[in-house]
């Protein structure tokens, strides 16, 4: 069950409403880096978490927090839209060019939600849940969560640098701080799951059964056959401590794909059969 006390998680204040910034904030709600994405990602990971229940608890608590972040940002969008013109005619009478873009306002926020936030990105594209990663492998999910919080924090920093509004800066510094914590908590959870020794994921598959010749080989695919540029990933002990990095150029196999003739009644051209 979920509960609400109808209070914001952190105060939201807008000193000078800005419809253009409201549009930018929509990315933090419904963009691929946004709060809907992480809230749903952590929620579905929690719903499918097996094993020690503390990981489910961690995921579900963080999902609930992210729902609160959506509420904060939705409030901020609505507050930034205060004073936006309700009449296209009124705006166009002042300046046709400005009227065409409504000063940066996403018309969807006007036409579909009456100057309120929506579950869309900064271009008005609805979030379609295609970036929700919940594999059932907690270690794999934690690595996905680290990436999600990293891109989310990057977006929050960009938004922070876009505005001079002190209220918005204060809210964003809170969200940036929470992204810092979330990155650290997912890394801490991964450490409990074995840290670098958790890799390769899943660790339940016997590594001895894979084609070990290629397990730690960094392969180059330069057309001239030259070796790729070297780095930490090309020489020395592997990060998981289970092998040695090598570098090589992969020679193509002699196999040429040939699928044979098309089957009758398959909808292919007769010349394919």
């Amino acid at each position: 069950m979920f509960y609400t006390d109808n209070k914001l998680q952190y105060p939201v204040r807008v000193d000078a409403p800005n419809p253009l910034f409201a549009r930018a904030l929509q990315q933090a709600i419904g963009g691929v880096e946004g709060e809907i994405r992480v809230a749903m990602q952590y929620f579905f990971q929690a719903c499918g978490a097996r094993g020690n229940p503390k990981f489910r608890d961690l995921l579900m608590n963080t999902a609930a927090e992210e729902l609160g972040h959506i509420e904060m940002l939705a409030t901020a969008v609505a507050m930034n839209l205060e004073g936006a013109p309700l009449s296209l005619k009124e705006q166009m009478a002042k300046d046709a060019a400005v009227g065409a873009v409504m000063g940066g306002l996403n018309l969807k926020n006007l036409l579909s939600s009456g100057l309120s936030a929506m579950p869309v990105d900064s271009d008005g594209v609805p979030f379609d849940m295609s970036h929700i990663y919940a594999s059932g492998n907690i270690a794999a999910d934690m690595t996905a969560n680290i990436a999600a919080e990293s891109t989310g924090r990057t977006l929050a920093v960009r938004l922070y640098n876009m505005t001079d509004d002190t209220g918005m800066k204060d809210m964003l510094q809170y969200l940036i701080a929470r992204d810092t914590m979330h990155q650290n908590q997912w890394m801490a959870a991964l450490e409990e799951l074995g840290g670098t020794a958790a890799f390769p994921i899943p660790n339940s598959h016997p590594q001895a059964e894979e084609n070990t010749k290629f397990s730690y080989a960094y392969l180059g695919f330069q057309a001239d056959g030259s070796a790729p540029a070297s780095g930490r990933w090309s020489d020395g002990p592997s990060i998981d401590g289970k092998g040695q990095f090598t570098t090589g150029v992969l020679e193509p196999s002699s196999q040429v794909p040939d699928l044979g003739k098309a089957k009758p009644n398959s909808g292919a051209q007769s010349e394919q059969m």
Side-chain angles (χ1 to χ4, degrees):
M1 293 182 66
F2 291 90
Y3 301 90
T4 179
D5 59 7
N6 296 317
K7 297 176 182 177
L8 291 175
Q9 188 180 123
Y10 186 85
V12 175
R13 186 183 82 252
V14 175
D15 297 328
N18 183 339
L20 180 59
F21 194 62
R23 180 172 182 169
L25 286 173
Q26 279 288 167
Q27 190 70 16
I29 295 176
V32 295
E33 319 92 332
E35 303 289 352
I36 293 177
R37 182 264 178 98
V38 289
M40 291 296 96
Q41 180 158 305
Y42 305 157
F43 175 79
F44 280 99
Q45 288 176 0
C47 288
R50 291 177 170 84
N52 193 318
K54 69 181 180 181
F55 293 110
R56 184 185 190 279
D57 183 71
L58 171 64
L59 287 161
M60 195 63 82
N61 269 291
T62 311
E65 177 182 353
E66 302 293 10
L67 290 174
H69 292 176
I70 298 171
E71 183 182 23
M72 289 169 56
L73 287 162
T75 301
V77 166
M79 293 172 71
N80 271 287
L81 289 171
E82 286 296 318
L86 291 170
S87 168
L88 287 171
K89 184 176 179 181
E90 167 194 339
Q91 189 71 8
M92 290 180 70
K94 299 177 183 177
D95 186 313
V98 173
V101 296
M102 291 288 283
L105 172 68
N106 189 328
L107 291 182
K108 212 165 194 174
N109 287 115
L110 168 62
L111 300 174
S112 297
S113 67
L115 300 181
S116 300
M118 299 183 69
V120 301
D121 67 12
S122 57
D123 290 326
V125 179
F127 186 73
D128 65 2
M129 308 293 271
S130 63
H131 289 273
I132 302 302
Y133 305 118
S135 69
N137 181 304
I138 296 178
D141 288 346
M142 291 303 161
T143 60
N145 294 350
I146 294 166
E149 291 290 344
S150 301
T151 54
R153 192 172 188 272
T154 299
L155 174 61
V157 168
R158 287 172 178 162
L159 288 167
Y160 178 84
N161 291 327
M162 279 181 63
T163 182
D164 293 323
D165 189 287
T166 56
M168 287 292 88
K169 281 185 171 293
D170 181 60
M171 179 194 75
L172 288 164
Q173 287 290 37
Y174 171 77
L175 294 175
I176 290 168
R178 294 310 298 156
D179 288 341
T180 298
M181 172 57 191
H182 293 161
Q183 288 183 44
N184 278 272
Q185 74 182 40
W186 301 139
M187 289 189 287
L190 187 59
E191 183 179 90
E192 286 209 11
L193 292 161
T196 55
F199 295 90
I201 296 169
N203 61 3
S204 56
H205 180 78
Q207 257 194 287
E209 294 181 11
E210 64 188 66
N211 191 335
T212 55
K213 176 182 176 181
F214 297 101
S215 295
Y216 299 100
Y218 174 52
L219 300 175
F221 292 87
Q222 282 76 4
D224 62 3
S226 62
S230 62
R232 173 65 183 87
W233 52 88
S234 62
D235 183 58
S238 62
I239 297 300
D240 60 15
K242 300 173 184 176
Q244 285 286 127
F245 286 133
T246 59
T247 301
V249 177
L250 185 66
E251 294 294 329
S253 71
S254 60
Q255 181 181 2
V256 176
D258 182 2
L259 302 181
K261 297 189 176 191
K263 294 184 178 182
N265 302 320
S266 66
Q269 293 295 98
S270 59
E271 288 81 2
Q272 293 177 257
M273 301 178 191

